[in-house]
């Protein structure tokens, strides 16, 4: 399958340690440093990319990548790839809370839920 080139993550995963770990692994991180507004103005959407900083730190380089149109487009993919899966698991499959206690049991329960999702998805794709 190859190795990842880019990491897309929301602000819950933002930390200097995570950005540094990605840089060390030669993965370009695109991690939101904070919550973003949902509806940016048209001026923000069509604004030119900011000038790249001279000799940037890994955090500054990532922030600049996120501010470029290419970085925004790549980060926006995160919203359409994993997020609907959780919505379908919650609303269509009815899984809204864990029924077992303890990390190992919860991991097992989550494995069953994701197995059911993957089987449902494979069946839907095989019909196409």
């Amino acid at each position: 399958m190859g190795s990842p080139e880019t990491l897309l993550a929301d602000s819950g995963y933002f930390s200097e340690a995570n950005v540094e770990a990605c840089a060390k692994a030669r993965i370009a991180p695109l991690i939101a440093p904070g919550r973003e507004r949902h509806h940016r103005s048209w001026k923000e959407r069509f604004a030119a990319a900011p000038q790249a900083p001279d000799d940037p730190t890994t955090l500054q380089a990532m922030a600049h990548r996120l501010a470029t149109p290419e970085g925004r487009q790549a980060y926006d993919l995160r919203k359409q790839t994993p997020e609907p899966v959780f919505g379908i698991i919650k609303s269509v499959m009815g899984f809204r809370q864990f029924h077992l206690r303890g990390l190992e049991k919860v991991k097992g329960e989550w494995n069953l839920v994701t197995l059911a999702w993957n089987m449902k998805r494979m069946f839907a794709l095989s019909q196409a």
Side-chain angles (χ1 to χ4, degrees):
M1 293 183 76
S3 14
E5 296 174 9
T6 306
L7 172 86
L8 303 174
D10 62 17
S11 60
Y13 294 96
F14 177 75
S15 71
E16 188 172 354
N18 284 345
V19 174
E20 294 289 338
C22 286
K24 203 177 276 187
R26 293 194 172 111
I27 298 172
L30 289 174
I31 307 171
R35 287 193 73 122
E36 295 183 343
R37 291 191 353 250
H38 283 279
H39 304 288
R40 295 183 296 144
S41 72
W42 66 270
K43 289 179 183 177
E44 290 174 321
R45 279 189 232 144
F46 296 107
Q51 191 73 2
D54 295 331
D55 194 32
T57 64
T58 52
L59 283 175
Q60 291 172 330
M62 184 197 71
H64 178 263
R65 264 195 315 281
L66 271 172
T68 64
E70 297 82 17
R72 295 283 338 142
Q73 187 177 17
Y75 185 78
D76 286 346
L77 287 176
R78 187 194 64 73
K79 296 175 186 173
Q80 71 187 30
T81 307
E83 298 297 336
V85 174
F86 293 115
I88 291 169
I89 287 173
K90 285 174 72 175
S91 64
V92 175
M93 295 174 61
F95 185 79
R96 299 190 78 67
Q97 67 185 29
F98 291 97
H99 299 287
L100 302 174
R101 291 179 180 255
L103 185 58
E104 288 304 312
K105 291 178 184 175
V106 167
K107 283 181 180 179
E109 191 174 355
W110 183 246
N111 285 339
L112 289 174
V113 169
T114 55
L115 177 69
W117 158 257
N118 287 329
M119 290 175 65
K120 177 185 178 332
R121 186 70 182 135
M122 286 174 52
F123 179 77
L125 291 174
S126 71
Q127 301 299 313

